[in-house]
Amino acid sequence: MSDKETRHKERQEKLKQAVDTKIANAQTVKGLMIVITGNGKGKSTSGFGTVARGVGHGLKCAVAQFIKGNWECGERALLEKNGVEFHVMGTGFTWNTQDRIADTEAALAIWEKCEQMLQDESLDLVLLDELTYMITYDYVPLERVLTALRNRPFMQSVVVTGRAAHRELTEMADTVSEVRNVKHAFDSGVKALKGVDW
Amino acid sequence: MSDKETRHKERQEKLKQAVDTKIANAQTVKGLMIVITGNGKGKSTSGFGTVARGVGHGLKCAVAQFIKGNWECGERALLEKNGVEFHVMGTGFTWNTQDRIADTEAALAIWEKCEQMLQDESLDLVLLDELTYMITYDYVPLERVLTALRNRPFMQSVVVTGRAAHRELTEMADTVSEVRNVKHAFDSGVKALKGVDW
């Protein structure tokens, strides 16, 4: 074995020890709360990817989509066909509606569906897509969200996406990733692409 | 209308103008190259979410999975069933194989499949999952990767995931997100969960 191969093997052996120790120490089994926040592309996409993974493993999954309008949605087409329950707020972006009172009503209506999902023992995985904005805009009271998340079934996992997640959400979460925008095609004049961007 | 409602409406009107201007300026139509990098959870998940979205819209998609082993994979089960072509390196993590020469051979074999996909006009979307490590470890020459990406069909989109993406990859990309690890359940002793973590 050459020096290069030997060094590679040594480095990888050390890495393996570190990973094995971590795996041995990770013995708590429970449903996870995952928050995907930040200003970069890929938050909702990651949430829907988790649902696709769950469905592939035979988990029972449900999705609530806040903010987004009723336009054609690629992930919804595939996942609904594969048994995922969908609830869509359907008002469109806040800058299109420009109506705080109507948006609040729509948000609360879909939040009530979320509270039912977060009490449903048969659901393994719930995606609350773009929920963070509902708290930022004060459409849904923070305390109500925290209570429902805290009291959900022990083995139910939840993914919350959206920019600027409230500190109390990230503190409650088991896993938090921040998706940082390094650059975005849209800012260089590239049109959003069907099947890739939406 | 109360002061609060009026202020909301004014803010949202301004936001709408900014968004509308951006949409009007975004007129370039082309396949996108997206890089999802960083040390946080959700990179591959985001890549698979994009493929799920593409499939839902009827796009022809293909996936190459580097690094990962041959264990059961939720997203693969769902996506393959829905017509997505999969190529899996299947050697497992570098810290398990600890064998640079065999890993390089396996990497090059799957990279040849990638070169075919990146020349295939019929493919709308290609996911190169965990490709970045192949460059970091020098399993696949950087120049070979850049050439294949640069010469791909004009309307083909590509998603590249993995930690520490090479600067030349991010420079070539249209969209780059960095997923930063804020916290991870695994580090607090929570076991990886089927259907959520893998």
Side-chain angles (χ1 to χ4, degrees), chain A residues 108-127:
Chain A
L108 285 172
I110 183 170
W111 178 251
E112 280 173 24
K113 297 279 180 195
C114 295
E115 285 177 332
Q116 289 165 22
M117 300 192 292
L118 293 170
Q119 287 172 23
D120 183 344
E121 297 271 352
S122 78
L123 280 176
D124 301 300
L125 176 63
V126 176
L127 168 61

Side-chain angles (χ1 to χ4, degrees), chain A residues 4-5 8-9 12-13 15-16 19 22-23 25-32 34 36 40-42 45-46 49-50 52-57 59 72-75 77-79 81-82 94-96 98-101 125 137 139 155 157 170-171 173-187 189-191 193-198, chain B residues 4-5 8-9 12-13 15-16 19 22-23 25-32 34 36 40-42 45-46 49-50 52-57 59 72-75 77-79 81-82 94-96 98-101 125 137 139 155 157 170-171 173-187 189-191 193-198:
Chain A
K4 190 169 182 183
E5 314 312 331
H8 178 86
K9 196 168 158 56
Q12 297 301 326
E13 267 170 2
L15 192 53
K16 182 172 164 54
V19 173
K22 260 186 160 180
I23 292 173
N25 289 339
Q27 290 306 329
T28 308
V29 176
K30 63 167 191 169
L32 295 170
I34 300 169
I36 315 272
K41 181 183 170 53
T45 322
S46 181
T50 309
R53 175 180 296 159
V55 169
H57 274 303
L59 300 193
E72 198 189 353
C73 165
E75 48 273 55
L78 175 69
L79 296 173
K81 203 177 71 179
N82 284 276
T94 50
W95 57 84
N96 283 325
Q98 303 180 10
D99 184 337
R100 214 181 66 85
I101 291 175
L125 176 63
Y137 284 124
Y139 290 174
M155 283 307 298
S157 293
T170 56
E171 279 178 5
D174 301 291
T175 296
V176 179
S177 289
E178 183 197 338
V179 182
R180 204 170 63 78
N181 179 37
V182 179
K183 63 177 165 181
H184 198 301
F186 190 49
D187 297 323
V190 180
K191 205 164 179 167
L193 203 63
K194 176 172 170 170
V196 178
D197 284 304
W198 50 281
Chain B
K4 190 169 181 181
E5 314 312 332
H8 177 85
K9 197 168 158 53
Q12 298 301 328
E13 267 169 4
L15 191 52
K16 183 172 164 51
V19 172
K22 261 185 160 183
I23 291 174
N25 289 340
Q27 290 306 328
T28 308
V29 176
K30 62 168 190 168
L32 296 169
I34 300 169
I36 316 273
K41 182 184 170 54
T45 323
S46 181
T50 308
R53 174 180 296 157
V55 169
H57 273 303
L59 300 194
E72 198 189 353
C73 165
E75 48 275 54
L78 175 69
L79 296 173
K81 203 176 70 180
N82 284 276
T94 49
W95 56 84
N96 283 326
Q98 303 179 10
D99 184 337
R100 214 183 65 85
I101 291 175
L125 176 63
Y137 285 125
Y139 289 174
M155 284 307 298
S157 293
T170 56
E171 278 177 6
D174 301 291
T175 295
V176 179
S177 289
E178 183 197 338
V179 182
R180 204 170 63 80
N181 180 38
V182 180
K183 62 177 164 180
H184 197 300
F186 190 50
D187 297 322
V190 180
K191 205 165 178 166
L193 203 63
K194 177 173 170 169
V196 178
D197 284 304
W198 49 281

